[in-house]
Amino acid sequence: MMQRWNSQRKKTHFPLLTLFFILFIVVTILHHERSILQIQEDNSGHAHDHQRTPITYVKPNLLNHGNRATEVLDRFSRCNSTREYSGRKIAWADGEPNSGNRKERSESCDVFSGRWVFDNTSYPLYKEPECPYMSDQLACHKHGRSDLGYQYWRWQPNDCNLKRLDERIIRPDSVLKHASKWEHADILVFNTYLWWRQGPVKLLWSAEENSICEELDGLGAMELAMEAWADWVAKMNSLKKRVFFATMSPTHLWSREWKTGSEGNCYNQKMPIDREGYWGSGSDLPTMRMVENVLSKLGSKVSVINITQLSEYRKDGHPSIYRKFWEPLKPEQLSKPTTYSDCIHWCLPGVPDVWNELLFHFL
């Protein structure tokens, strides 16, 4: 009797298991179809993603959460975990940015196109030991560079001359006195570039989200920051301020880029590159295109100081080993100078002085 009852019980469970299995298959298929449909909708609507992108409105160093301000995020904030970047954007807290096309300046001469000419009459603009702000990392002569030719090259635009800086207008002793007024400065100069190339960037939107960070590649993170900066500039009163943006400063890490077959870098380079239109890997072209795209939306609110290509020619202007390192270089290190050459910063007097001349030219 017991055996017969067990047999009937097994027969009863069999259709139930079969029904459950069929339902599981149907639900799984529907789930996959829904996922595929979602992917197709995402792809077909990709061109309109910006309309659905969430925007976080911010004030300086303060994150808004609804109508309530959360705690300030600073350099001591930490990530407990990391997730993929969600696509969130940043905008200034008091509205949407103005749009517009960049207006061309009424400048009759392209001062960024030209050549470097040797001028030992009017250059250098100052002597290295006479500059009280000279960093040891830039004082090449002080740290052993005996050839001073890099100090005598003057930037000569093709169709005009740069206005000369008059060193009498500057009052170094007034810097601290007027530091409190920087917030209300009439002239603002911005630049950014190199450190964004050092790998992915972590974004911490709010300390209330269990310190979960989103990770974004350097170029994407720089674009996010540039767009937030541009949103702020767009709301600035352009009648009261002059805003400048200096483009990226190039590096010279691979001599094979200007001399085929060589395996050095900027070490022992004593002449500029004389190939007009030269570009090396020290200038990140995708980053430059991104910056140009962001700046183009600001119209005439920002004047661009385009230092990149004219600086590309100056492979001879870097400190290489003639600078102060964290520790003095040992003899075995000095025997391989290209390994320890600084081909990122610039000797002074030198290339950065021309950047200042270009700024003064537009003022």
Side-chain angles (χ1 to χ4, degrees):
M1 186 72 176
M2 181 65 67
Q3 183 177 3
R4 181 180 177 185
W5 184 84
N6 285 337
S7 177
Q8 290 178 345
R9 184 180 179 183
K10 290 180 181 178
K11 290 180 181 179
T12 303
H13 284 186
F14 179 75
L16 290 176
L17 291 173
T18 304
L19 179 62
F20 177 78
F21 183 69
I22 292 173
L23 287 174
F24 175 78
I25 293 176
V26 171
V27 170
T28 301
I29 292 174
L30 290 175
H31 173 74
H32 283 301
E33 288 181 348
R34 184 178 180 181
S35 300
I36 293 172
L37 180 61
Q38 182 66 45
I39 293 172
Q40 290 173 340
E41 289 176 350
D42 290 344
N43 289 338
S44 63
H46 181 72
H48 304 284
D49 279 350
H50 65 279
Q51 296 178 359
R52 300 194 299 269
T53 300
I55 297 178
T56 295
Y57 291 95
V58 298
K59 290 183 177 179
N61 204 29
L62 187 65
L63 198 68
N64 282 350
H65 189 71
N67 295 323
R68 180 169 55 89
T70 65
E71 64 181 276
V72 173
L73 302 177
D74 57 26
R75 65 189 180 92
F76 298 106
S77 300
R78 293 290 182 266
C79 302
N80 288 336
S81 61
T82 303
R83 64 189 177 199
E84 187 178 352
Y85 175 55
S86 63
R88 190 186 308 189
K89 301 291 184 182
I90 304 173
W92 201 241
D94 57 353
E96 296 295 327
N98 297 324
S99 60
N101 295 324
R102 186 202 303 267
K103 295 180 180 178
E104 295 295 331
R105 296 188 59 86
S106 57
E107 193 71 38
S108 59
C109 172
D110 181 4
V111 295
F112 308 115
S113 295
R115 66 191 186 281
W116 290 93
V117 297
F118 192 81
D119 181 355
N120 58 3
T121 301
S122 57
Y123 274 65
L125 297 176
Y126 54 92
K127 294 183 179 179
E128 184 183 285
E130 295 174 355
C131 179
Y133 306 105
M134 179 72 69
S135 165
D136 275 336
Q137 293 184 340
L138 309 177
C140 304
H141 181 54
K142 176 181 177 181
H143 290 280
R145 183 166 182 175
S146 58
D147 68 292
L148 301 182
Y150 64 90
Q151 298 185 1
Y152 297 96
W153 291 93
R154 174 171 54 82
W155 178 249
Q156 178 60 57
N158 288 328
D159 302 314
C160 61
N161 295 317
L162 287 180
K163 300 170 186 176
R164 294 305 303 271
L165 182 65
D166 187 345
E167 278 295 277
R168 291 173 298 177
I169 297 176
I170 298 175
R171 288 287 305 277
D173 60 337
S174 67
V175 172
L176 293 178
K177 177 181 177 182
H178 295 287
S180 61
K181 299 181 180 179
W182 288 350
E183 182 180 0
H184 307 289
D186 295 323
I187 300 169
L188 298 173
V189 183
F190 297 90
N191 69 81
T192 180
Y193 165 54
L194 189 62
W195 295 112
W196 293 101
R197 301 187 75 181
Q198 305 302 306
V201 175
K202 293 187 184 334
L203 309 173
L204 181 59
W205 293 99
S206 171
E208 293 184 351
E209 298 180 9
N210 299 320
S211 297
I212 300 176
C213 292
E214 296 178 350
E215 189 171 272
L216 187 58
D217 64 272
L219 177 58
M222 181 176 174
E223 182 176 15
L224 185 67
M226 286 288 298
E227 288 176 345
W229 167 82
D231 184 76
W232 173 72
V233 172
K235 294 172 177 60
M236 189 180 298
N237 188 339
S238 58
L239 297 178
K240 294 183 178 180
K241 293 184 185 294
R242 289 288 304 277
V243 181
F244 294 89
F245 188 91
T247 60
M248 66 179 64
S249 169
T251 61
H252 293 90
L253 303 176
W254 313 104
S255 62
R256 59 177 175 267
E257 295 182 344
W258 60 82
K259 185 179 180 181
T260 304
S262 62
E263 291 299 328
N265 51 25
C266 70
Y267 173 71
N268 207 28
Q269 298 294 321
K270 299 180 180 179
M271 295 290 291
I273 296 171
D274 60 1
R275 190 165 76 239
E276 187 173 357
Y278 168 81
W279 287 110
S281 63
S283 295
D284 191 325
L285 297 183
T287 298
M288 293 170 64
R289 286 191 290 268
M290 179 275 293
V291 170
E292 172 61 24
N293 181 57
V294 172
L295 294 177
S296 67
K297 300 174 184 177
L298 290 172
S300 59
K301 285 184 173 288
V302 174
S303 299
V304 178
I305 307 297
N306 189 356
I307 67 166
T308 307
Q309 189 161 64
L310 64 88
S311 303
E312 270 275 23
Y313 301 132
R314 292 300 307 275
K315 59 181 173 59
D316 63 309
H318 297 284
S320 65
I321 64 172
Y322 304 106
R323 51 157 286 186
K324 182 179 180 180
F325 289 87
W326 297 114
E327 296 180 359
L329 296 181
K330 300 175 181 178
E332 57 269 24
Q333 294 173 322
L334 289 173
S335 66
K336 299 178 181 179
T338 56
T339 306
Y340 299 94
S341 290
D342 180 350
C343 300
I344 297 175
H345 298 96
W346 301 93
C347 292
L348 291 176
V351 174
D353 299 314
V354 175
W355 305 346
N356 290 330
E357 288 188 292
L358 288 166
L359 173 62
F360 181 74
H361 181 86
F362 284 98
L363 291 175

